[in-house]
Amino acid sequence: MGSWQNTSFASQGASFTAEMDATAASDAAVALSLGAQTAWSGLAAIVRFNTTGTIDARNGGACTRPPPPFPTRRGRATSVRFVVNVPAPHTYAAYVRPSGGSETQIASAYGFRTEQATVTSLNNWVAATDGARR
């Protein structure tokens, strides 16, 4: 059984930056969406703490690991920053910074999740765990 936490913010329909702190968990994600979500298909920009102990990001239809893979440890505090361009082409960049560490870019010009490629605004942070159901 998964856990979904949603936090709304002022609707953003242009380019914007959003940052949140997360505690790394195996097979979990932080994301931006339009409205509160309880399903992976409702998330637009996604950074995932995957089961291999690394962090990746979703680019359209699949999660992509940055070269080299960015390691994380379960329970480690990590800051996630999104730089988002909502209007076409619906893209984002993602950066992660472990507590006490340096920021690393893990995504550049990544497309929103395929199901969210036409949203006109984003207004919600999501922190989710849900097993492997993506």
Side-chain angles (χ1 to χ4, degrees):
M1 187 68 179
S3 171
W4 291 77
Q5 296 176 332
N6 289 274
T7 304
S8 63
F9 56 83
S11 188
Q12 303 293 315
S15 296
F16 71 100
T17 298
E19 186 170 355
M20 76 177 294
D21 290 327
T23 301
S26 180
D27 209 18
V30 292
L32 299 172
S33 66
L34 178 59
Q37 300 297 319
T38 58
W40 297 106
S41 61
L43 307 179
I46 307 166
V47 168
R48 179 179 70 154
F49 300 88
N50 66 50
T51 58
T52 65
T54 60
I55 299 174
D56 55 30
R58 181 127 182 161
N59 187 7
C63 287
T64 305
R65 288 187 185 96
F70 189 86
T72 190
R73 288 190 315 263
R74 188 176 187 155
R76 185 179 196 180
T78 303
S79 177
V80 178
R81 182 169 64 96
F82 290 97
V83 178
V84 183
N85 183 4
V86 176
H90 297 86
T91 58
Y92 71 99
Y95 303 82
V96 294
R97 181 177 37 83
S99 180
S102 299
E103 184 176 78
T104 300
Q105 184 173 23
I106 63 164
S108 177
Y110 275 25
F112 288 4
R113 184 180 175 111
T114 307
E115 297 90 337
Q116 300 303 312
T118 61
V119 296
T120 58
S121 65
L122 297 174
N123 63 3
N124 192 66
W125 270 109
V126 180
T129 60
D130 196 26
R133 293 174 270 167
R134 294 206 204 300

